[in-house]
Amino acid sequence: MSQKQSIKKKLFNIAKIILSLAMLVFVLYKIDRQELVLVFKNIHIIWLIPAFLLFVLSKFFSALRLNRLLRRISIRISDLLNIKLYLFGMFYNLFLPGGIGGDAYKIYLLKKNFEVKTKNVLWSIVLDRVFGLAALYFLAAILAWFTVLPSIWKTLFLISIPLGLLAFYFMISYLFKTFKSFFGKALGFSFGVQLAQFACAWFLLKAIQQPDQTTEYLFVFLISSIVAAFPITIGGMGSRELTFFYGAQLLGLDISSSIAISLLFYLITAAVSLVGIYYGINTKKITAHFEENQQPVHA
């Protein structure tokens, strides 16, 4: 990487940090912070346990999906090594935005240990995210029908499901033929990921004792997850809260409860990402694991 590219990357990361903080500060300024504190004081901690476990399960499915995509380009590593690599990436992406990104380091390691083109590794990782976004959208579109959204919106959401699925399939078939045969399974893994996180959000609602308008809260959660997936903030911080803020206003939800769900989900994400700190500090461990764990693997 040239010095000019390095400077651009640092400036971009600084901009992401500033934008994340600006969004979060804006939301906290707009809401009743005393009500938010009250929501956190009355949390039923016991419900956070299944929420946490379901989030871990979602990341397990996500790691499996990525490994299967990598196998389509002849990168064969064990699922255990891939999970370690995945945790390593989560840690870097969330806690070290100013350094080399987790995805960038994964690409570097995979390219170093396998004779594959960089663009193929890159597209595997990008498509991993795209499959996740597709499943998120389809779930949100289905759930929209059960919310208080205007009928025209519900109809448009439902119509977009088959059209979007067909468009997505043809995009993979013609632009990424290597992954065409894995389309159904990748989408299946993606629904597994998002359903686990959907259930995680449901338990967060139980934790903050919010029994009303469950469908609307979960719909906003799915939309916020789509927004947070775009790499304009740090781990979705700020963008998710902002989406919940405006979504709560649109659907008549309690704003403090909405922001509480968003913050709790971010804290769970951060807690799981921290597991990757071991490999973040000991990068040689990851490199060594490539030699120890590479083995013949069937797709």
Side-chain angles (χ1 to χ4, degrees):
M1 183 184 294
S2 67
Q3 185 176 3
K4 187 176 181 180
Q5 289 176 318
S6 178
I7 292 173
K8 283 184 177 180
K9 182 176 176 62
K10 288 179 181 178
L11 289 174
F12 178 69
N13 286 320
I14 291 171
K16 284 172 65 175
I17 294 171
I18 293 173
L19 184 60
S20 296
L21 293 175
M23 288 181 175
L24 190 58
V25 169
F26 172 80
V27 170
L28 293 177
Y29 175 77
K30 286 286 187 178
I31 69 173
D32 187 329
R33 291 178 294 280
Q34 290 184 337
E35 282 190 14
L36 181 62
V37 171
L38 189 62
V39 171
F40 274 97
K41 281 184 177 180
N42 293 320
I43 283 178
H44 282 184
I45 302 294
I46 190 68
W47 293 115
L48 295 181
I49 298 173
F52 179 85
L53 293 176
L54 281 161
F55 181 81
V56 172
L57 179 64
S58 77
K59 290 303 173 183
F60 175 73
F61 285 142
S62 187
L64 291 181
R65 178 185 63 202
L66 176 58
N67 203 15
R68 270 53 182 180
L69 285 168
L70 290 174
R71 289 176 189 177
R72 261 56 195 181
I73 58 170
S74 300
I75 292 180
R76 297 179 178 275
I77 58 176
S78 68
D79 283 326
L80 180 59
L81 173 57
N82 181 63
I83 289 170
K84 292 174 181 177
L85 194 62
Y86 195 90
L87 288 170
F88 169 83
M90 285 183 65
F91 169 73
Y92 260 63
N93 286 335
L94 195 64
F95 292 102
L96 298 174
I100 182 170
D103 289 339
Y105 199 83
K106 278 192 285 188
I107 292 172
Y108 165 76
L109 282 175
L110 293 170
K111 180 68 177 66
K112 180 181 177 182
N113 288 274
F114 296 90
E115 294 183 3
V116 292
K117 295 179 180 179
T118 302
K119 69 175 184 178
N120 289 340
V121 185
L122 174 62
W123 280 121
S124 296
I125 292 175
V126 170
L127 285 176
D128 178 62
R129 303 288 179 88
V130 172
F131 272 107
L133 281 172
L136 267 174
Y137 178 79
F138 294 140
L139 284 176
I142 293 169
L143 196 63
W145 187 257
F146 304 97
T147 67
V148 296
L149 286 171
S151 296
I152 184 64
W153 286 31
K154 295 179 181 181
T155 303
L156 289 173
F157 268 119
L158 284 181
I159 292 173
S160 72
I161 295 173
L163 294 178
L165 191 58
L166 281 172
F168 188 38
Y169 177 75
F170 283 117
M171 181 192 79
I172 298 297
S173 298
Y174 288 98
L175 299 181
F176 305 99
K177 293 181 181 180
T178 303
F179 305 98
K180 180 182 177 181
S181 62
F182 189 59
F183 180 86
K185 289 183 179 179
L187 205 55
F189 273 117
S190 299
F191 276 109
V193 171
Q194 305 310 339
L195 285 171
Q197 292 197 8
F198 183 84
C200 169
W202 185 80
F203 277 109
L204 292 180
L205 282 170
K206 296 279 287 183
I208 64 172
Q209 305 174 64
Q210 183 52 257
D212 300 321
Q213 296 180 279
T214 300
T215 304
E216 282 74 20
Y217 279 106
L218 292 174
F219 174 74
V220 176
F221 170 78
L222 292 174
I223 297 299
S224 73
S225 294
I226 293 174
V227 175
F230 291 94
I232 58 173
T233 59
I234 305 303
M237 182 179 69
S239 60
R240 190 185 293 276
E241 286 73 30
L242 194 66
T243 306
F244 260 104
F245 176 74
Y246 285 113
Q249 291 183 327
L250 177 65
L251 297 174
L253 307 177
D254 181 76
I255 294 179
S256 296
S257 295
S258 298
I259 303 305
I261 295 168
S262 179
L263 291 174
L264 283 171
F265 188 79
Y266 183 83
L267 290 173
I268 288 174
T269 303
V272 175
S273 299
L274 269 175
V275 177
I277 193 172
Y278 175 77
Y279 297 107
I281 295 173
N282 302 288
T283 53
K284 290 182 179 179
K285 292 285 185 181
I286 282 285
T287 304
H289 281 317
F290 270 97
E291 298 177 0
E292 297 170 4
N293 289 277
Q294 283 187 40
Q295 57 187 49
V297 186
H298 298 290

